[in-house]
Amino acid sequence: MILRHRLRNAFHPRPGAPGRGNGPTTRASDILVMMAGLLVIAAIFKILRG
């Protein structure tokens, strides 16, 4: 849910939102957060499967 919220805000910034000039850096950080989430999900899946 947090990932969905961050990705939605990254691709559709509100006009007048602070940090509007930092588009590429926010997108890069969102990708890193999404990759970290996928790693956590994969680790939990491996632990549960044995």
Side-chain angles (χ1 to χ4, degrees):
M1 188 164 122
I2 294 171
L3 293 175
R4 194 182 319 162
H5 174 73
R6 288 180 63 93
L7 287 174
R8 190 178 301 151
N9 286 344
F11 292 118
H12 302 291
R14 292 178 309 207
R20 273 177 33 195
N22 299 335
T25 55
T26 53
R27 284 192 193 114
S29 66
D30 285 340
I31 290 172
L32 288 175
V33 168
M34 188 169 59
M35 286 174 60
L38 288 175
L39 283 174
V40 169
I41 292 171
I44 292 172
F45 186 70
K46 267 189 150 182
I47 290 172
L48 290 178
R49 296 238 359 199

